[in-house]
Amino acid sequence: MIDPEIAARADLTRPPLTAAGIAERRRTGRVVTDAELTRDGSVTFTEEDADGVPVLVLRPNGFDGPPVLHLHGGGMVAGTRRSDLHVLAEWVSELGVTLVSPEYRLAPEHPHPAPVRDCYRTLTWMQRVGFPPPVVAGTSAGGGLAAAVTLMARDHGGPAVRGQLLMCPMLDDRCATPSSHQFLSGTTWVRASNLTGWTALLGDARGGPDVSPYAAPARATDLSGLPPTYVDVGSVDVFRDEAVDYAARIWRTGGDAELHVWPGGCHGFDQLVPDAVLSRRARAARMEWLRKVI
Protein backbone atom coordinates (compact mmCIF):
# COMPACT_ATOMS: atom_id res chain seq x y z
CA MET A 1 0.00 0.00 0.00
CA ILE A 2 1.27 3.46 -0.92
CA ASP A 3 1.77 5.86 1.96
CA PRO A 4 -1.59 7.64 2.39
CA GLU A 5 -0.13 11.16 2.32
CA ILE A 6 1.70 10.44 -0.93
CA ALA A 7 -1.25 8.60 -2.47
CA ALA A 8 -3.50 11.57 -1.76
CA ARG A 9 -1.18 14.09 -3.39
CA ALA A 10 0.65 12.27 -6.22
CA ASP A 11 -0.79 11.57 -9.66
CA LEU A 12 -1.03 7.78 -9.76
CA THR A 13 -3.29 7.66 -12.81
CA ARG A 14 -0.76 8.23 -15.60
CA PRO A 15 -0.94 5.30 -18.06
CA PRO A 16 2.06 3.01 -18.53
CA LEU A 17 4.80 4.27 -20.78
CA THR A 18 4.80 2.80 -24.29
CA ALA A 19 7.28 3.20 -27.11
CA ALA A 20 4.75 5.38 -28.91
CA GLY A 21 4.39 7.56 -25.81
CA ILE A 22 8.07 8.40 -25.26
CA ALA A 23 7.92 11.70 -27.15
CA GLU A 24 4.88 12.79 -25.16
CA ARG A 25 6.52 11.80 -21.87
CA ARG A 26 9.51 13.96 -22.77
CA ARG A 27 7.28 16.87 -23.76
CA THR A 28 5.26 16.80 -20.56
CA GLY A 29 8.14 16.19 -18.13
CA ARG A 30 8.50 18.46 -15.13
CA VAL A 31 10.47 21.64 -15.86
CA VAL A 32 12.83 22.64 -13.05
CA THR A 33 13.03 26.43 -12.89
CA ASP A 34 16.03 28.68 -12.26
CA ALA A 35 14.46 29.70 -8.95
CA GLU A 36 14.34 26.07 -7.81
CA LEU A 37 17.98 25.61 -8.75
CA THR A 38 19.22 28.72 -6.95
CA ARG A 39 17.24 28.13 -3.71
CA ASP A 40 16.81 31.78 -2.76
CA GLY A 41 20.30 32.74 -3.88
CA SER A 42 22.27 30.14 -1.91
CA VAL A 43 23.18 28.21 -5.09
CA THR A 44 24.71 29.38 -8.36
CA PHE A 45 24.75 27.37 -11.57
CA THR A 46 26.62 27.33 -14.84
CA GLU A 47 26.24 25.43 -18.11
CA GLU A 48 29.50 23.74 -19.09
CA ASP A 49 30.86 21.26 -21.63
CA ALA A 50 32.28 17.98 -20.35
CA ASP A 51 34.24 16.89 -23.41
CA GLY A 52 31.14 17.01 -25.59
CA VAL A 53 28.54 16.25 -22.92
CA PRO A 54 26.47 19.28 -21.79
CA VAL A 55 26.53 19.55 -18.00
CA LEU A 56 24.83 21.72 -15.42
CA VAL A 57 27.08 22.58 -12.46
CA LEU A 58 25.52 23.79 -9.21
CA ARG A 59 27.81 25.43 -6.67
CA PRO A 60 27.23 26.75 -3.15
CA ASN A 61 27.53 30.54 -3.46
CA GLY A 62 29.84 30.14 -6.43
CA PHE A 63 32.67 28.15 -4.86
CA ASP A 64 33.57 24.49 -5.34
CA GLY A 65 32.63 22.11 -2.55
CA PRO A 66 33.03 18.32 -2.41
CA PRO A 67 31.71 17.04 -5.76
CA VAL A 68 28.69 14.90 -6.53
CA LEU A 69 28.10 13.58 -10.05
CA HIS A 70 24.32 13.17 -10.30
CA LEU A 71 22.65 11.22 -13.14
CA HIS A 72 19.00 12.02 -13.72
CA GLY A 73 16.06 9.65 -13.96
CA GLY A 74 13.61 9.12 -16.79
CA GLY A 75 13.51 5.40 -17.57
CA MET A 76 16.51 5.70 -19.94
CA VAL A 77 14.24 7.51 -22.41
CA ALA A 78 13.42 10.91 -20.88
CA GLY A 79 14.75 13.64 -18.59
CA THR A 80 17.33 16.40 -18.82
CA ARG A 81 20.29 17.65 -16.82
CA ARG A 82 17.81 19.67 -14.73
CA SER A 83 15.63 16.69 -13.86
CA ASP A 84 15.37 15.82 -10.14
CA LEU A 85 17.28 18.95 -9.10
CA HIS A 86 14.22 20.72 -7.67
CA VAL A 87 14.85 18.42 -4.70
CA LEU A 88 18.55 17.61 -4.92
CA ALA A 89 19.71 21.24 -5.08
CA GLU A 90 19.34 21.12 -1.30
CA TRP A 91 22.52 19.02 -1.22
CA VAL A 92 24.30 22.11 -2.54
CA SER A 93 22.67 24.63 -0.22
CA GLU A 94 22.66 22.44 2.92
CA LEU A 95 25.86 20.39 2.55
CA GLY A 96 27.99 22.70 0.43
CA VAL A 97 28.62 20.16 -2.33
CA THR A 98 29.19 20.98 -5.98
CA LEU A 99 26.71 19.01 -8.07
CA VAL A 100 27.48 18.10 -11.69
CA SER A 101 24.53 16.89 -13.79
CA PRO A 102 25.16 15.71 -17.37
CA GLU A 103 22.70 15.64 -20.26
CA TYR A 104 23.40 12.08 -21.34
CA ARG A 105 21.97 10.81 -24.59
CA LEU A 106 18.64 8.98 -24.40
CA ALA A 107 17.30 5.73 -25.83
CA PRO A 108 15.89 4.60 -28.19
CA GLU A 109 17.66 7.08 -30.48
CA HIS A 110 20.88 6.41 -28.58
CA PRO A 111 20.81 2.87 -27.16
CA HIS A 112 23.42 1.30 -24.91
CA PRO A 113 26.28 2.09 -24.56
CA ALA A 114 25.68 5.77 -25.43
CA PRO A 115 24.06 6.85 -22.11
CA VAL A 116 26.62 5.22 -19.82
CA ARG A 117 29.51 6.39 -22.02
CA ASP A 118 28.31 9.98 -21.65
CA CYS A 119 28.12 9.59 -17.88
CA TYR A 120 31.57 8.01 -17.65
CA ARG A 121 32.97 10.72 -19.94
CA THR A 122 31.63 13.28 -17.48
CA LEU A 123 33.42 11.50 -14.64
CA THR A 124 36.72 11.55 -16.53
CA TRP A 125 36.19 15.24 -17.39
CA MET A 126 35.70 16.02 -13.71
CA GLN A 127 39.04 14.39 -12.95
CA ARG A 128 40.76 16.22 -15.81
CA VAL A 129 39.57 19.67 -14.74
CA GLY A 130 40.64 19.12 -11.14
CA PHE A 131 37.64 17.94 -9.17
CA PRO A 132 38.53 15.54 -6.33
CA PRO A 133 36.93 12.08 -6.44
CA PRO A 134 33.14 12.52 -6.41
CA VAL A 135 30.22 10.66 -4.99
CA VAL A 136 28.35 9.24 -8.00
CA ALA A 137 24.61 9.49 -7.41
CA GLY A 138 21.56 8.77 -9.49
CA THR A 139 17.79 8.53 -9.43
CA SER A 140 15.88 5.66 -11.08
CA ALA A 141 17.49 5.16 -14.51
CA GLY A 142 20.22 7.47 -13.24
CA GLY A 143 20.68 5.18 -10.26
CA GLY A 144 21.38 2.33 -12.64
CA LEU A 145 23.77 4.51 -14.59
CA ALA A 146 25.50 5.57 -11.36
CA ALA A 147 26.02 1.91 -10.45
CA ALA A 148 27.31 1.21 -13.96
CA VAL A 149 29.72 4.17 -13.94
CA THR A 150 31.05 3.03 -10.56
CA LEU A 151 31.63 -0.47 -11.95
CA MET A 152 33.40 1.00 -14.99
CA ALA A 153 35.64 3.14 -12.79
CA ARG A 154 36.57 0.07 -10.76
CA ASP A 155 37.20 -2.10 -13.79
CA HIS A 156 39.11 0.55 -15.78
CA GLY A 157 41.32 1.62 -12.91
CA GLY A 158 39.67 5.01 -12.43
CA PRO A 159 38.75 7.74 -12.11
CA ALA A 160 38.45 7.33 -8.36
CA VAL A 161 34.93 7.39 -6.89
CA ARG A 162 34.34 8.39 -3.26
CA GLY A 163 30.96 6.65 -2.95
CA GLN A 164 27.81 5.73 -4.82
CA LEU A 165 24.29 6.84 -3.87
CA LEU A 166 21.62 4.83 -5.67
CA MET A 167 18.06 6.12 -5.31
CA CYS A 168 15.31 3.73 -6.50
CA PRO A 169 17.87 2.41 -9.00
CA MET A 170 16.96 0.72 -12.31
CA LEU A 171 19.41 -2.18 -12.27
CA ASP A 172 18.05 -5.34 -13.92
CA ASP A 173 16.78 -5.70 -17.49
CA ARG A 174 15.50 -9.21 -16.82
CA CYS A 175 12.49 -7.85 -14.90
CA ALA A 176 12.13 -11.22 -13.15
CA THR A 177 11.95 -10.33 -9.45
CA PRO A 178 8.68 -10.60 -7.50
CA SER A 179 8.41 -6.80 -7.20
CA SER A 180 8.89 -6.37 -10.94
CA HIS A 181 5.74 -8.49 -11.44
CA GLN A 182 3.83 -7.11 -8.47
CA PHE A 183 3.06 -3.55 -9.55
CA LEU A 184 1.05 -3.54 -12.77
CA SER A 185 -1.05 -0.41 -12.20
CA GLY A 186 -1.91 2.23 -9.64
CA THR A 187 1.61 3.54 -9.12
CA THR A 188 4.09 5.79 -10.87
CA TRP A 189 6.33 3.30 -12.73
CA VAL A 190 4.76 -0.06 -13.47
CA ARG A 191 5.98 -3.25 -15.10
CA ALA A 192 4.88 -2.24 -18.60
CA SER A 193 6.75 1.07 -18.33
CA ASN A 194 9.84 -0.76 -17.11
CA LEU A 195 9.78 -3.13 -20.08
CA THR A 196 9.43 -0.14 -22.41
CA GLY A 197 12.47 1.58 -20.91
CA TRP A 198 14.71 -1.46 -20.98
CA THR A 199 13.66 -2.40 -24.52
CA ALA A 200 14.41 1.13 -25.71
CA LEU A 201 17.92 0.84 -24.24
CA LEU A 202 18.72 -2.74 -25.29
CA GLY A 203 16.35 -3.72 -28.09
CA ASP A 204 16.03 -7.44 -28.69
CA ALA A 205 18.93 -8.13 -26.32
CA ARG A 206 16.79 -7.20 -23.29
CA GLY A 207 16.51 -10.14 -20.93
CA GLY A 208 18.89 -12.27 -22.98
CA PRO A 209 22.22 -13.81 -22.03
CA ASP A 210 24.57 -11.17 -23.43
CA VAL A 211 23.66 -7.96 -21.61
CA SER A 212 26.61 -6.03 -20.19
CA PRO A 213 26.72 -5.09 -16.51
CA TYR A 214 27.49 -1.57 -17.72
CA ALA A 215 23.94 -1.57 -19.15
CA ALA A 216 22.27 -3.50 -16.32
CA PRO A 217 24.47 -3.52 -13.20
CA ALA A 218 22.55 -6.41 -11.65
CA ARG A 219 24.27 -8.54 -14.30
CA ALA A 220 27.67 -7.96 -12.66
CA THR A 221 29.03 -11.22 -11.24
CA ASP A 222 31.48 -9.46 -8.91
CA LEU A 223 30.49 -6.53 -6.68
CA SER A 224 33.70 -6.48 -4.67
CA GLY A 225 35.99 -3.47 -4.52
CA LEU A 226 33.21 -0.88 -4.72
CA PRO A 227 33.25 2.35 -2.71
CA PRO A 228 30.82 2.99 0.18
CA THR A 229 27.31 2.54 -1.16
CA TYR A 230 23.89 3.89 -0.20
CA VAL A 231 20.81 2.24 -1.68
CA ASP A 232 17.24 3.30 -1.06
CA VAL A 233 13.91 2.34 -2.58
CA GLY A 234 10.23 2.35 -1.68
CA SER A 235 8.41 -0.80 -0.66
CA VAL A 236 5.84 -0.14 -3.44
CA ASP A 237 8.33 0.02 -6.30
CA VAL A 238 9.04 -2.37 -9.15
CA PHE A 239 12.75 -1.88 -8.38
CA ARG A 240 12.45 -2.89 -4.71
CA ASP A 241 13.82 -6.42 -4.92
CA GLU A 242 16.68 -5.71 -7.32
CA ALA A 243 17.79 -2.78 -5.15
CA VAL A 244 17.72 -4.90 -1.97
CA ASP A 245 19.60 -7.69 -3.73
CA TYR A 246 22.28 -5.28 -4.99
CA ALA A 247 23.01 -4.08 -1.45
CA ALA A 248 22.99 -7.64 -0.13
CA ARG A 249 25.47 -8.78 -2.77
CA ILE A 250 27.81 -5.94 -1.81
CA TRP A 251 27.60 -7.08 1.81
CA ARG A 252 28.42 -10.64 0.80
CA THR A 253 31.73 -9.45 -0.66
CA GLY A 254 32.57 -7.67 2.60
CA GLY A 255 31.70 -4.28 1.12
CA ASP A 256 30.17 -1.23 2.77
CA ALA A 257 26.49 -0.67 1.96
CA GLU A 258 23.62 1.12 3.68
CA LEU A 259 20.11 0.07 2.63
CA HIS A 260 16.76 1.76 3.26
CA VAL A 261 13.39 0.40 2.11
CA TRP A 262 10.85 3.14 2.77
CA PRO A 263 7.47 1.69 3.80
CA GLY A 264 4.72 2.86 1.48
CA GLY A 265 7.08 4.61 -0.88
CA CYS A 266 6.14 4.38 -4.55
CA HIS A 267 8.70 4.97 -7.29
CA GLY A 268 10.10 8.48 -7.01
CA PHE A 269 7.86 9.38 -4.06
CA ASP A 270 10.24 11.98 -2.65
CA GLN A 271 10.38 13.78 -6.00
CA LEU A 272 6.60 13.76 -6.39
CA VAL A 273 5.69 14.99 -2.90
CA PRO A 274 8.92 16.42 -1.45
CA ASP A 275 7.34 17.78 1.72
CA ALA A 276 5.56 14.57 2.73
CA VAL A 277 6.71 13.10 6.04
CA LEU A 278 8.09 9.98 4.35
CA SER A 279 9.90 12.07 1.72
CA ARG A 280 11.52 14.25 4.37
CA ARG A 281 12.70 11.15 6.24
CA ALA A 282 14.22 9.68 3.09
CA ARG A 283 15.98 12.92 2.13
CA ALA A 284 17.35 13.39 5.65
CA ALA A 285 18.81 9.88 5.68
CA ARG A 286 20.56 10.44 2.34
CA MET A 287 21.98 13.75 3.49
CA GLU A 288 23.31 12.17 6.69
CA TRP A 289 25.07 9.48 4.63
CA LEU A 290 26.50 12.15 2.30
CA ARG A 291 27.82 14.11 5.29
CA LYS A 292 29.70 11.05 6.47
CA VAL A 293 31.13 10.23 3.05
CA ILE A 294 32.23 13.72 2.00
Side-chain angles (χ1 to χ4, degrees):
M1 177 183 296
I2 296 176
D3 177 87
E5 182 181 12
I6 292 168
R9 298 172 59 191
D11 180 7
L12 304 178
T13 63
R14 176 178 274 190
L17 179 66
T18 64
I22 289 173
E24 176 69 8
R25 183 65 61 94
R26 292 174 182 171
R27 189 183 68 79
T28 59
R30 191 187 192 286
V31 177
V32 177
T33 66
D34 288 0
E36 289 174 308
L37 292 179
T38 56
R39 295 183 65 84
D40 297 323
S42 62
V43 175
T44 61
F45 68 89
T46 56
E47 302 276 1
E48 302 185 28
D49 182 283
D51 294 335
V53 180
V55 296
L56 184 69
V57 182
L58 277 61
R59 294 180 171 89
N61 293 313
F63 67 86
D64 279 328
V68 174
L69 170 59
H70 176 261
L71 310 175
H72 69 76
M76 299 293 183
V77 300
T80 74
R81 56 192 178 275
R82 289 188 175 223
S83 297
D84 312 324
L85 299 187
H86 63 294
V87 172
L88 301 184
E90 72 179 354
W91 294 353
V92 184
S93 60
E94 300 297 323
L95 298 178
V97 305
T98 292
L99 191 150
V100 177
S101 180
E103 185 110 348
Y104 60 84
R105 288 170 290 174
L106 299 173
E109 297 90 341
H110 304 284
H112 177 77
V116 73
R117 282 183 175 171
D118 289 349
C119 298
Y120 185 72
R121 182 179 297 121
T122 304
L123 177 65
T124 60
W125 170 81
M126 292 176 70
Q127 179 189 56
R128 183 175 63 77
V129 299
F131 283 104
V135 171
V136 180
T139 305
S140 190
L145 288 165
V149 165
T150 303
L151 289 171
M152 292 177 75
R154 180 199 65 179
D155 295 346
H156 298 350
V161 171
R162 183 181 295 271
Q164 59 176 342
L165 197 166
L166 313 179
M167 297 168 281
C168 54
M170 182 176 178
L171 298 167
D172 197 342
D173 68 294
R174 293 165 292 194
C175 305
T177 65
S179 64
S180 74
H181 288 274
Q182 189 173 3
F183 303 109
L184 306 180
S185 62
T187 186
T188 50
W189 185 256
V190 296
R191 178 175 177 80
S193 302
N194 200 33
L195 293 172
T196 296
W198 279 117
T199 301
L201 184 71
L202 298 172
D204 292 341
R206 186 199 63 78
D210 300 321
V211 172
S212 166
Y214 304 147
R219 298 287 196 133
T221 58
D222 177 12
L223 295 183
S224 64
L226 295 175
T229 298
Y230 184 100
V231 181
D232 78 351
V233 69
S235 65
V236 189
D237 192 328
V238 291
F239 298 144
R240 181 193 65 212
D241 295 343
E242 61 202 66
V244 170
D245 182 64
Y246 204 74
R249 291 175 58 208
I250 291 173
W251 290 328
R252 288 197 289 269
T253 71
D256 177 355
E258 181 172 330
L259 170 67
H260 293 263
V261 180
W262 298 104
C266 61
H267 187 70
F269 66 93
D270 60 299
Q271 300 276 349
L272 295 168
V273 191
D275 60 343
V277 171
L278 187 68
S279 300
R280 293 199 303 268
R281 288 175 56 204
R283 298 203 325 273
R286 292 176 198 142
M287 289 179 70
E288 180 58 31
W289 181 86
L290 272 173
R291 282 190 185 97
K292 291 187 296 186
V293 171
I294 66 176

